[in-house]
Amino acid sequence: QVQLVESGGGLVQPGGSLRLSCAASRIIFRLYAMGWYRQAPGKQRELVATITSSNTNYADSVKGRFTISRDNAKNTVYLQMNSLKPEDTAVYYCNAAPLRGGVTYWGQGTQVTVSS
């Protein structure tokens, strides 16, 4: 039973910050690339950021504002979101992709709403 559980979402005003967490269980965490994706109403799910042991990757829309990090000892990946904009409003999903191929896992998502 692989499980990814997101937390940290909520309502924040434009310009504010949130820190999302994703705790993984029953995988060898260090063997997975971890990522965050998001989906807004009426839009396709899109990549936000990914991280391996040596690389990070960000969508152009969040570069300079968001930071992805991971703690392998805690089996947790984080997404620090600063300078939030209304267009960041979406359900944010945690993703775990095995580095050598195999099954990709998804969390159930956490809602982020940026509004005055």
Side-chain angles (χ1 to χ4, degrees):
Q1 293 186 5
V2 173
Q3 189 172 29
L4 304 178
V5 180
E6 302 98 333
S7 62
L11 175 65
V12 64
Q13 293 185 344
S17 298
L18 285 173
R19 185 176 178 86
L20 306 183
S21 298
C22 172
S25 62
R26 299 178 186 177
I27 63 170
I28 304 176
F29 189 76
R30 63 181 176 84
L31 300 182
Y32 286 77
M34 301 300 298
W36 289 95
Y37 292 71
R38 67 187 182 187
Q39 187 167 27
K43 296 183 178 180
Q44 296 183 19
R45 187 174 297 186
E46 64 176 351
L47 170 74
V48 177
T50 60
I51 185 169
T52 65
S53 62
S54 58
N55 293 288
T56 57
N57 182 40
Y58 296 92
D60 288 342
S61 60
V62 307
K63 286 181 179 178
R65 300 189 298 121
F66 292 10
T67 303
I68 189 170
S69 61
R70 65 192 290 165
D71 186 338
N72 287 349
K74 295 182 178 180
N75 283 16
T76 301
V77 62
Y78 305 94
L79 185 69
Q80 178 66 47
M81 305 186 295
N82 298 326
S83 301
L84 283 162
K85 304 174 181 179
E87 50 263 45
D88 295 317
T89 296
V91 177
Y92 284 70
Y93 296 92
C94 182
N95 166 274
L99 296 173
R100 294 187 177 184
V103 176
T104 295
Y105 299 100
W106 293 89
Q108 293 186 347
T110 185
Q111 177 71 48
V112 172
T113 302
V114 185
S115 179
S116 299

